[in-house]
Amino acid sequence: MDHDNHNQDLRTIFHNIKVPEADVTKAVMNLLEDKQMNKRVPFFTKYKLSTFAVLASLLLASSAFAATQLITLTNGKGDVVYEEKKFEKSMIPDHTKEKQLRSLKAQGLAQDLLQPGQAAAFYMAGDDTEGELYIRRGPGFGFTDAASLRGELKQSGALILDTLQSKYDFATGSLTYNSDPLTEQNEAELTAQLAQEARKSKEGYAMKSLNVSKESWSMILTYKGEGQTILVQPMRLNEKLTIHLPEESSAETISADGVDMLYSLYPSGSQGIRFIHNIPGSEYHIVYYIEATKGVAKEELLAIAKAYLQ
Amino acid sequence: MRSTEYKEVKRDFTERGENMDEMDLDLQQMIPDILNGDTARFELIMQRYQRRIFSYCYHMLGHYSEAEDCTQEVFIKTFRKLDQYNLERPFEAWLYAIASNCCIDIIRKRRLSKYFPVLYRSDEHNRPVDQAIEDTYYNEHVLRAMSKLTPEERSLLILRCVEDKDYKEIADIMQQNSSSLRKKFERTAAKFRKYHAHIQGGRPDGSRQPQSRPQNHIS
């Protein structure tokens, strides 16, 4: 938060005002359910595929997932480092309403309590022995110029351009570092420790800061020009990334300068392209995802993608 | 190779300098379910945001019952418009924007009610006295100083000083440029301080001069 200290007097005035409690949940839910305001519209026809978002982070279960069509990308060693598959509810069994609420609360706590660049494990206790451990990151670091971001990510293998195709200028950048991965044993020990603390606490949760690795991160960069917007989303990882989509992936595999890329054209007219950049001499690679508004031609999007292969 | 599964948030575009992927992650999982008929899940969204939205409405309107009604209206509108929610925008910012519009509508209706009392009569006069007193905003000086601000200025002040939002977040809510919001906020803060000091009588200890009849609405 960019608090300006010279307005602390105003914050004090307002924070001294006691806001009474109110709960309109029942009134709203009764109204929604009684008046059958439920819209039974199939989700897929309403959402732009390009903006579809379903997010949770799961540790890899196993090959128990239904063997549907897989779209994949490999690194320079031939290992699959990216795949797209259709999301099935069976992948996350017992995803109860209470569990979802705890997950939401963990996210809220992370946003309230963590600073940019921080990560923590939150154990959210439920009834009896229920509860889960959530690994959450704080807000990302914001950047308004490419040079500062380049300075932050020196030697990382990431390419941060000032301009794309000489017409789309860097607008904003956001960088979030990932926490160091926990071994299974560490995770089990941490879960046990925090579960005990959470059950004793009034708030029903316990947290512990985690080390953050500058080796692994994700970014969202936006470029703007001529009324169009380009999103560039690189992720520096040393593990496989799996994306779950609401339906079978319609991505088309194309080759550009000898590199396999997944190209998607969305119903809205916007388009996206994803590919792997191998970092020489490193166990890490960068998964690039670039998306462009419909006014950008496919050839131009490909040219932008190729610029990141240098 | 170790692997991590994500049900990844993928957005078209973000105007923000923050990585939004995790912030709305569970919401993005719930919204499709709600749109597909699982209305009960909307309660999770309410539980997450209700307190903050009520606090915002309470400060904007300066009146408990109106803030309560407004909060209800915000979530009903949110539900109705859920299929229009654009994932480019953080959910919280969208929710606050709905709350802001709702409060501004109420404030405008109050102003009109001065000129058209028959059309816009509230039932306040029919309420028991003790409830009317409980409805009153906690700090009368703040209430009166706020009444000198436009609804937009009021919203900006509350988002910054009560909700502790940074300018990027406020830009998302108000759909304005963060640099111009920064300047607007400084002007608004100066304006509020001036009126607040005047209403307090300009006394350093904040003690009051004799007041006229209390105003329990800001309009």
Side-chain angles (χ1 to χ4, degrees), chain A residues 2 7 9 21 24 38-39 43 47 51 54-55 100 103 108 137 174 218 222 224 239 242 244 291, chain B residues 4-7 12 14-15 17 19 21 25-26 31 35-37 41 50 64 80 87 160 166 193:
Chain A
D2 52 343
N7 287 311
D9 61 317
E21 296 292 321
V24 300
N38 206 352
K39 291 182 185 177
F43 164 71
Y47 263 77
T51 59
V54 175
L55 177 65
Q100 287 183 66
S103 178
R137 305 182 296 179
S174 151
S218 58
T222 57
K224 288 178 185 287
E239 54 192 16
T242 302
H244 295 274
E291 193 166 320
Chain B
T4 300
E5 299 257 351
Y6 287 99
K7 285 190 285 170
D12 261 328
T14 174
E15 307 258 316
N19 182 349
D21 285 5
L25 58 95
D26 289 292
I31 289 172
L35 288 171
N36 276 323
R41 294 204 173 195
Q50 181 179 194
Y64 179 90
R80 281 187 183 140
L87 292 170
R160 186 85 182 126
D166 60 36
R193 281 194 188 94

Side-chain angles (χ1 to χ4, degrees), chain B residues 97-116:
Chain B
I98 294 173
S100 173
N101 290 336
C102 213
C103 290
I104 289 171
D105 278 348
I106 291 174
I107 292 166
R108 284 193 184 131
K109 276 180 189 162
R110 281 184 194 159
R111 288 181 175 165
L112 282 171
S113 73
K114 286 183 187 172
Y115 301 102
F116 302 102

Side-chain angles (χ1 to χ4, degrees), chain B residues 147-196:
Chain B
S147 72
K148 303 295 187 186
L149 306 178
T150 65
E152 189 192 60
E153 286 170 339
R154 208 176 297 173
S155 183
L156 187 50
L157 194 68
I158 292 164
L159 288 171
R160 186 85 182 126
C161 297
V162 179
E163 307 295 320
D164 282 334
K165 301 247 173 257
D166 60 36
Y167 289 109
K168 281 193 195 121
E169 289 171 306
I170 299 175
D172 276 324
I173 293 167
M174 298 179 85
Q175 297 283 276
Q176 293 180 35
N177 177 278
S178 60
S179 317
S180 64
L181 281 172
R182 192 182 287 267
K183 290 176 194 161
K184 275 186 191 173
F185 174 77
E186 293 305 330
R187 287 197 295 271
T188 301
K191 199 170 161 182
F192 176 84
R193 281 194 188 94
K194 185 181 95 175
Y195 288 122
H196 190 246

Side-chain angles (χ1 to χ4, degrees), chain B:
Chain B
M1 177 187 292
R2 201 191 130 85
S3 173
T4 300
E5 299 257 351
Y6 287 99
K7 285 190 285 170
E8 177 85 2
V9 171
K10 190 156 63 92
R11 298 195 182 274
D12 261 328
F13 306 99
T14 174
E15 307 258 316
R16 300 179 67 194
E18 293 172 340
N19 182 349
M20 292 188 290
D21 285 5
E22 286 194 23
M23 287 174 76
D24 291 312
L25 58 95
D26 289 292
L27 284 168
Q28 304 312 324
Q29 191 178 333
M30 270 191 276
I31 289 172
D33 287 340
I34 295 168
L35 288 171
N36 276 323
D38 193 353
T39 309
R41 294 204 173 195
F42 189 73
E43 193 176 332
L44 296 171
I45 293 177
M46 288 201 65
Q47 284 172 358
R48 173 83 179 93
Y49 291 107
Q50 181 179 194
R51 195 172 58 82
R52 282 190 236 168
I53 295 296
F54 175 77
S55 169
Y56 171 82
C57 294
Y58 183 69
H59 286 291
M60 278 290 280
L61 300 172
H63 193 273
Y64 179 90
S65 295
E66 280 193 342
E68 201 180 34
D69 289 345
C70 190
T71 303
Q72 197 168 317
E73 187 61 26
V74 167
F75 284 103
I76 291 170
K77 277 188 177 162
T78 301
F79 182 88
R80 281 187 183 140
K81 293 179 172 192
L82 210 53
D83 61 338
Q84 298 166 36
Y85 167 56
N86 188 341
L87 292 170
E88 293 178 31
R89 206 171 167 190
F91 185 82
E92 189 173 303
W94 185 62
L95 195 56
Y96 269 100
I98 294 173
S100 173
N101 290 336
C102 213
C103 290
I104 289 171
D105 278 348
I106 291 174
I107 292 166
R108 284 193 184 131
K109 276 180 189 162
R110 281 184 194 159
R111 288 181 175 165
L112 282 171
S113 73
K114 286 183 187 172
Y115 301 102
F116 302 102
V118 173
L119 294 175
Y120 291 101
R121 189 178 58 199
S122 75
D123 67 347
E124 183 159 322
H125 305 291
N126 300 325
R127 291 229 218 92
V129 169
D130 51 359
Q131 184 172 357
I133 290 171
E134 277 173 18
D135 281 343
T136 304
Y137 192 67
Y138 185 79
N139 186 315
E140 189 202 316
H141 294 163
V142 169
L143 194 69
R144 288 172 64 192
M146 293 273 265
S147 72
K148 303 295 187 186
L149 306 178
T150 65
E152 189 192 60
E153 286 170 339
R154 208 176 297 173
S155 183
L156 187 50
L157 194 68
I158 292 164
L159 288 171
R160 186 85 182 126
C161 297
V162 179
E163 307 295 320
D164 282 334
K165 301 247 173 257
D166 60 36
Y167 289 109
K168 281 193 195 121
E169 289 171 306
I170 299 175
D172 276 324
I173 293 167
M174 298 179 85
Q175 297 283 276
Q176 293 180 35
N177 177 278
S178 60
S179 317
S180 64
L181 281 172
R182 192 182 287 267
K183 290 176 194 161
K184 275 186 191 173
F185 174 77
E186 293 305 330
R187 287 197 295 271
T188 301
K191 199 170 161 182
F192 176 84
R193 281 194 188 94
K194 185 181 95 175
Y195 288 122
H196 190 246
H198 178 75
I199 287 160
Q200 283 192 314
R203 294 181 181 178
D205 64 1
S207 58
R208 293 194 291 180
Q209 288 179 328
Q211 298 292 335
S212 56
R213 189 172 71 86
Q215 177 186 354
N216 63 357
H217 272 136
I218 46 175
S219 58

